[in-house]
Amino acid sequence: MDEVRATSAWVASRSSHVTVDSSGIEKVVSKIESIPKVEWDFEGIHYFDNGPLTVQYLFVLDALNFCFWPDKDLNYDDLASGLKAALQNDKSAFDADRLQKYTGPQLRELLNWPRPLPLEDERVRLLHEVGIELERNFDGKASNLVEQCGKSAVNLVALVARHFPGFRDHSVYKGRQVFLYKRAQIFVADLWGAFNGQGYGEFKDISSLTIMADYIVPAVLQQLGILKFSPKLASTIEASGEICPGTEEEVELRACSIHAVEKMRELISVKSGRQVLSVELDLWLWASGVQTESLKHHRTLSIYY
């Protein structure tokens, strides 16, 4: 996670399309009395049985947790609740051998979705990858993967990235590799939230996580006045134009969001006199964003978010 923080700060210091506004951060923090507590499953859309099957569900969920915007009717809630219903209907739906065999139409049927999913072939490929690697190294169970991390969030992110290439969320910016790891980090955050920091969700270093750089949080930060966009980037987003993955604009949007929230977290911690977690800030910012219908976010076709 130190790499995520360091490379995001490096991007922010050289960014030309996105600017982190320190005065904007100070203004927002000055108005915060306390971070609103957002319950992990505040919408009641996730599967939870307090055991290994929940871990399997969350790993499958986070393997598929990306790029909903091309279908205007599809969102994260549809994925989470669709997978929940599938598992309630058939407890073996996410067994490793079955994950290796799903087709696009079968995934749609699993989610009860009436038409092809955005990046459907990639979603199927990633399901197969998860099934194959879980079977090869973890006796088919994501809970065994979690048990190998020694209650360390950093170790679990590293394990996921090492074994599952589809979670290796990094890019190259001005000749330097930048690490973001959105879906690997959100798997850890989901475990921590679902199990309330106990059992499979107990991590001694949960404070090491950064925010999960997606397309909602940058838009919320821009709305708050914490991020400033260049006129060209702002007009592209306003016009719902696509931004290609790996471009300077796209990397800056994500890396500057991570850096900005780290600065925000530090200021809030100083002001409140207590440790504030980036994962708490992420959930608060994301929840406020998805509840703002008018929010205009950037559009990038990516398997990483």
Side-chain angles (χ1 to χ4, degrees), residues 174-241:
K174 296 184 178 177
R176 179 168 174 175
Q177 197 164 20
V178 178
F179 301 92
L180 301 159
Y181 293 135
K182 184 255 184 179
R183 290 195 289 106
Q185 289 200 75
I186 210 167
F187 175 54
V188 179
D190 280 345
L191 288 166
W192 178 74
F195 289 92
N196 201 26
Q198 304 296 315
Y200 290 114
E202 182 183 352
F203 300 101
K204 60 194 176 188
D205 56 352
I206 193 66
S207 62
S208 66
L209 294 186
T210 68
I211 62 153
M212 295 40 153
D214 62 0
Y215 43 84
I216 300 295
V217 172
V220 174
L221 293 174
Q222 191 257 350
Q223 203 171 59
L224 289 171
I226 288 172
L227 293 184
K228 306 287 187 189
F229 299 162
S230 69
K232 184 183 176 187
L233 177 58
S235 66
T236 299
I237 293 171
E238 187 61 33
S240 299

Side-chain angles (χ1 to χ4, degrees), residues 117-301:
L117 297 155
L119 299 178
E120 184 171 276
D121 289 348
E122 286 293 275
R123 285 184 153 90
V124 169
R125 181 182 67 81
L126 292 170
L127 270 187
H128 293 177
E129 178 186 283
V130 164
I132 290 166
E133 190 59 20
L134 284 178
E135 187 170 76
R136 180 190 294 143
N137 282 299
F138 302 100
D139 197 26
K141 299 183 186 306
S143 56
N144 291 335
L145 166 69
V146 175
E147 286 171 355
Q148 285 193 20
C149 78
K151 299 188 186 303
S152 167
V154 170
N155 287 352
L156 185 51
V157 169
L159 270 171
V160 170
R162 183 183 314 141
H163 286 279
F164 302 89
F167 283 84
R168 291 175 194 161
D169 178 11
H170 39 78
S171 196
V172 175
Y173 178 82
K174 296 184 178 177
R176 179 168 174 175
Q177 197 164 20
V178 178
F179 301 92
L180 301 159
Y181 293 135
K182 184 255 184 179
R183 290 195 289 106
Q185 289 200 75
I186 210 167
F187 175 54
V188 179
D190 280 345
L191 288 166
W192 178 74
F195 289 92
N196 201 26
Q198 304 296 315
Y200 290 114
E202 182 183 352
F203 300 101
K204 60 194 176 188
D205 56 352
I206 193 66
S207 62
S208 66
L209 294 186
T210 68
I211 62 153
M212 295 40 153
D214 62 0
Y215 43 84
I216 300 295
V217 172
V220 174
L221 293 174
Q222 191 257 350
Q223 203 171 59
L224 289 171
I226 288 172
L227 293 184
K228 306 287 187 189
F229 299 162
S230 69
K232 184 183 176 187
L233 177 58
S235 66
T236 299
I237 293 171
E238 187 61 33
S240 299
E242 273 191 46
I243 297 170
C244 292
T247 57
E248 287 191 3
E249 292 91 336
E250 191 255 351
V251 177
E252 288 177 15
L253 279 161
R254 301 184 71 204
C256 287
S257 295
I258 291 172
H259 183 63
V261 176
E262 284 303 300
K263 293 299 172 191
M264 195 175 164
R265 180 186 59 78
E266 290 168 7
L267 266 182
I268 295 170
S269 295
V270 169
K271 180 186 173 188
S272 66
R274 73 170 189 88
Q275 183 188 49
V276 176
L277 300 177
S278 293
V279 66
E280 293 175 313
L281 287 172
D282 180 83
L283 186 54
W284 169 53
L285 291 165
W286 181 83
S288 65
V290 295
Q291 292 171 47
T292 306
E293 286 188 18
S294 61
L295 194 73
K296 296 286 287 189
H297 60 73
H298 76 279
R299 294 170 176 242
T300 296
L301 282 172

